[in-house]
């Protein structure tokens, strides 16, 4: 009966609804004003580029680069986004500088020349690869080797991982970033939580928290908890890579949909909050230019993929690239035909987003 | 569909929905206004959705549920208490408890719970669609509805005793 009372109460209050005429006029007026403002921002160039930062993740700018580069961008407005496909390398790192020395997730963000959408390709951290100067080892060792052990430098860790990934895949990497868990936590909270749709439930071995299968919106601390989970998942770090892709997709979606991109006040608050947590180097062309791409993507829904791999055989300790699928996949990536590849191999795409 | 066509047919239902969510015509106007400005600015993306209507309803619901986001809450708070001056039309069939009390009890529920009640008992949507709008699992929808109903029932008991 309480249900009936509720229905009746809602129906009785329908007459509270104001007329739509004045509201519609107000909406049009405000939208026109904001559109104008947005165009001014776009002309500003640098500002919009900064917005895009949030779309891709957190590009970590080395202090010696960030100052002059911002000034440069402010001085030369106008669209300078690079033509052609763009690849961005994101490394998810456990711990905070200066201890950060393990890259738990390696994610290559590919934006095709037609700007239809972003592809998130994760490279398994246990993949055996030739690391320039260090021989055959696990992919995530490249970060540790590069960063050094006594006083790890994430910028150098990134650089060696970038060379390793570039040689493995044969693609040019235009920019990159190192994300610490602290940066992820701040970013997530600042955008008001990120929606994730999990294909299976995940129990945190760190906090005991249960993340149910299905869609949920997570705050910063919960997101970091989820992103760290690997043990107890059926496919271990493959599943964690998938979680990272799902999270990144949710973040991109959240940022493109929300008003983070259009509200300068929120944006500057966010950048201020993230500022001190960021380190590491962009590649050329300037990472900020690339980030301007985000608002131009036709679809806010990125496609998540794992690099095709096979389990270790014989005495091998590492995952290996799949001799059947990987060459075809990498060719598609290099020739900017990932869309076709995905159509031929729908089973390789993350179902949940 | 153009934005104009969408607004022609959908603005009134959205505004009614917002009234049920917020319980207040001014807040409802602010909420719809903020959402529809964003809809208009991003119309191409909205139009590409399978169901633009549901997409916009999701935007509006998120805006309502998420207290951290958006400036509309701050503006509303500056205005002070919700406007109580507009009386609802009288109803002759009174049950044991004055049924308008249920309307004021609704305002004490957490927003997410109130949203589930509005979606189910005003919009008459199936649970799966409610889950889609709120971005959560169907089970979460059900548990949040039953928690909300339990709270309301407790108010009933208190008011009757």
């Amino acid at each position: 009966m309480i249900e009936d009372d509720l229905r009746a109460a809602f129906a009785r209050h329908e007459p509270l609804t104001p007329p739509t005429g004045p509201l519609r006029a107000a909406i049009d007026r405000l939208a026109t004003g904001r559109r104008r403002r947005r165009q001014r921002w776009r002309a500003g160039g640098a500002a919009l580029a900064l917005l895009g930062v949030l779309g891709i993740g957190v590009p970590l700018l080395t202090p010696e680069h960030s100052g002059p580069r911002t000034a440069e961008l402010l001085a030369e407005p106008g669209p300078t986004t690079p033509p052609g496909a763009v690849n961005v390398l994101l490394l998810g790192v456990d711990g905070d500088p200066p201890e950060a020395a393990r890259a738990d997730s390696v994610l290559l963000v590919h934006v095709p020349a037609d700007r239809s959408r972003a592809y998130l390709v994760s490279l398994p951290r246990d993949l055996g690869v030739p690391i320039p100067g260090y021989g055959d080892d696990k992919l995530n060792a490249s970060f540790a080797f590069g960063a050094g052990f006594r006083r790890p430098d994430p910028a150098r860790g990134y650089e060696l991982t970038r060379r390793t990934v570039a040689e493995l895949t044969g693609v040019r990497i235009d920019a990159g970033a190192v994300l610490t868990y602290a940066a992820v936590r701040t970013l997530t909270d600042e955008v008001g939580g990120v929606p994730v749709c999990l294909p299976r439930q995940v129990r945190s071995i760190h906090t005991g928290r249960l993340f149910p299968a299905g869609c949920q919106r997570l705050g910063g601390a919960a997101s970091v908890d989820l992103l760290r989970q690997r043990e107890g998942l059926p496919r271990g770090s493959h599943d964690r890579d998938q979680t990272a892709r799902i999270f990144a997709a949710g973040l991109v979606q959240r940022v493109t949909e929300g008003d983070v991109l259009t509200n300068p006040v929120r944006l500057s608050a966010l950048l201020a909050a993230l500022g001190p947590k960021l380190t590491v180097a962009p590649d050329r062309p300037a990472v900020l230019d690339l980030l301007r791409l985000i608002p131009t993507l036709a679809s806010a829904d990125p496609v998540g993929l794992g690099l095709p791999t096979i389990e270790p055989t014989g005495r091998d300790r590492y995952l290996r690239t799949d001799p059947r699928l990987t060459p075809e996949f990498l060719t598609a990536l290099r020739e900017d035909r990932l869309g076709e590849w995905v159509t031929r191999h729908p089973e390789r795409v993350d179902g949940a987003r | 569909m153009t934005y104009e066509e969408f607004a022609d047919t959908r603005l009134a239902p959205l505004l009614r929905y917002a009234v049920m969510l917020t319980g207040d015509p001014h807040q409802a106007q602010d909420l719809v206004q903020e959402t529809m400005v964003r809809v208009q600015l991003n119309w191409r993306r909205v139009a590409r959705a399978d169901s633009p209507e549901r997409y916009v309803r999701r935007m509006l619901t998120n805006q309502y549920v998420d207290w951290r986001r958006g400036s509309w809450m701050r503006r509303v708070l500056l205005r002070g208490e919700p406007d109580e001056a507009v009386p609802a039309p009288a109803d002759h069939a009174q049950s044991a408890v004055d049924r308008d009390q249920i309307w004021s009890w609704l305002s004490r529920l957490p927003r997410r719970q109130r949203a589930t009640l509005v979606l189910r008992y005003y919009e008459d949507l199936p649970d799966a669609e409610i889950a889609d709008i709120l971005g959560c699992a169907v089970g979460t929808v059900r548990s949040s509805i039953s928690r909300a109903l339990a709270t309301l029932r407790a108010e009933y008991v208190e008011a009757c005793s």
Side-chain angles (χ1 to χ4, degrees):
Chain A
M1 78 159 211
I2 194 166
E3 288 89 339
D4 297 334
D5 284 356
L6 265 175
R7 285 184 208 277
F10 286 137
R12 225 174 21 248
H13 286 82
E14 266 189 2
L16 281 183
T17 312
T20 54
L23 177 60
R24 181 139 179 206
I27 293 167
D28 289 348
R29 210 170 44 239
L30 271 168
T32 312
R34 268 194 223 172
R35 201 172 285 129
R36 251 185 234 134
R37 236 183 12 242
R38 198 152 79 170
Q39 274 155 5
R40 274 206 294 278
W41 277 102
R42 193 163 283 151
L48 200 70
L50 288 173
L51 309 179
V53 167
L54 314 171
I56 285 191
V58 190
L60 311 173
L61 308 172
T62 37
E64 63 268 30
H65 284 154
S66 56
R69 181 146 288 149
T70 310
E72 231 169 72
L73 277 168
L74 282 168
E76 42 167 11
T80 53
T81 47
V86 169
N87 299 293
V88 178
L89 182 65
L90 296 182
L91 306 181
V93 176
D94 199 354
D96 287 308
E99 288 86 30
R102 281 194 331 199
D104 276 341
S105 19
V106 181
L107 196 61
L108 190 62
V109 182
H110 172 80
V111 179
D114 66 9
R115 304 293 184 252
S116 49
R117 66 205 318 159
Y119 293 85
L120 309 174
V121 181
S122 39
L123 308 176
R125 57 167 206 156
D126 295 331
L127 184 69
V129 287
I131 297 173
Y134 293 88
D136 196 50
D137 212 316
K138 271 166 54 164
L139 175 58
N140 77 335
S142 63
F143 187 83
F145 288 149
F149 294 95
R150 289 198 47 198
R151 294 186 53 204
D153 175 1
R156 293 170 52 195
Y158 168 82
E159 181 50 28
L160 187 58
T161 308
R162 184 194 66 75
R163 281 169 56 203
T164 307
V165 171
E167 286 187 13
L168 170 74
T169 60
V171 301
R172 187 196 67 234
I173 291 166
D174 302 284
V178 176
L179 291 147
T180 64
Y181 283 134
V184 171
R185 187 164 56 232
T186 308
L187 178 64
T188 308
D189 281 334
E190 285 294 325
V191 302
V194 166
V196 293
C197 296
L198 298 175
R200 71 187 78 72
Q201 73 168 41
V202 177
R203 165 81 69 183
S204 166
I205 60 159
H206 299 99
T207 64
R209 179 178 172 141
L210 180 72
F211 299 89
C215 298
Q216 52 219 289
R217 180 130 129 212
L218 300 180
S223 298
V224 167
D225 191 14
L226 174 66
L227 287 169
R228 295 176 71 195
Q229 300 312 313
R230 169 172 59 91
E231 281 157 47
L233 298 182
R235 298 188 315 133
S237 56
H238 286 296
D239 284 337
R240 178 166 65 184
D241 284 347
Q242 191 190 27
T243 309
R245 293 195 298 268
I246 291 172
F247 176 82
L251 184 62
V252 169
Q253 203 195 23
R254 179 90 178 122
V255 169
T256 359
E257 271 177 12
D259 63 352
V260 180
L261 292 172
T262 50
N263 183 336
V265 177
R266 291 198 60 206
L267 180 72
S268 52
L270 173 53
L271 292 176
L274 282 174
K277 297 202 173 71
L278 309 181
T279 39
V280 164
D283 203 342
R284 102 203 130 68
V287 75
L288 293 184
D289 277 351
L290 298 172
L291 300 169
R292 221 175 287 178
L293 290 173
I294 295 299
T296 69
L297 296 186
S299 167
D301 251 359
V303 176
L305 301 160
L307 180 76
T309 53
I310 51 172
E311 294 300 309
T313 48
R315 291 191 6 236
D316 199 349
R317 290 171 298 143
Y318 308 136
L319 293 174
R320 294 292 169 184
T321 52
D322 184 330
R324 196 170 52 86
L325 282 176
T326 311
E328 185 196 343
F329 174 83
L330 290 178
T331 308
L333 180 64
R334 276 193 298 271
E335 296 178 355
D336 196 15
R337 292 186 289 103
L338 266 192
E340 290 169 33
W341 193 85
V342 164
T343 319
R344 279 201 307 280
H345 300 277
E347 77 286 352
R348 311 288 312 182
V349 178
D350 293 337
R353 186 328 332 122
Chain B
M1 196 182 358
T2 65
Y3 167 80
E4 301 300 324
E5 286 163 357
F6 180 83
D8 283 344
T9 55
R10 303 316 310 172
L11 190 58
L14 279 171
L15 190 53
R16 279 201 293 276
Y17 171 59
V19 167
M20 300 309 154
L21 284 181
T22 59
D24 173 75
H26 299 297
Q27 290 190 21
Q29 269 175 320
D30 281 353
L31 181 58
V32 172
Q33 177 178 300
E34 183 59 32
T35 308
M36 288 297 282
V37 167
R38 282 167 45 217
V39 167
Q40 193 179 123
L41 291 175
N42 301 298
W43 177 248
R44 270 187 307 170
R45 181 158 58 228
V46 176
R48 266 198 308 271
D50 291 337
S51 156
E53 209 244 314
R54 198 193 301 178
Y55 188 96
V56 172
R57 200 197 287 274
R58 198 185 307 155
M59 282 172 70
L60 189 140
T61 311
N62 282 338
Q63 181 94 13
Y64 164 71
V65 170
D66 192 346
W67 73 100
R68 286 175 57 108
R69 257 186 87 192
S71 52
W72 75 275
M73 263 311 287
R74 281 196 292 282
R75 281 208 304 280
V76 171
L77 289 177
L78 285 177
R79 200 180 272 148
E81 286 302 296
D83 195 344
E84 300 281 355
V86 189
D91 191 294
H92 296 295
Q94 296 281 318
S95 60
V97 179
D98 180 358
R99 288 204 299 191
D100 259 1
Q101 274 192 288
I102 204 170
W103 186 252
S104 56
W105 293 336
L106 278 176
S107 65
R108 294 183 217 161
L109 292 176
R111 288 176 197 205
R112 233 180 143 70
Q113 290 186 18
R114 178 167 183 155
T116 55
L117 290 184
V118 173
L119 288 166
R120 187 192 266 183
Y121 297 112
Y122 180 68
E123 301 286 345
D124 283 318
L125 295 182
D127 290 350
E129 205 164 316
I130 300 178
D132 181 52
I133 287 171
L134 290 170
C136 62
V138 174
T140 316
V141 169
R142 293 197 181 128
S143 67
S144 126
I145 287 179
S146 68
R147 262 202 305 278
L149 291 180
T151 312
L152 293 180
R153 271 192 206 104
E155 298 275 9
Y156 260 80
V157 172
E158 211 168 289
C160 290
S161 56

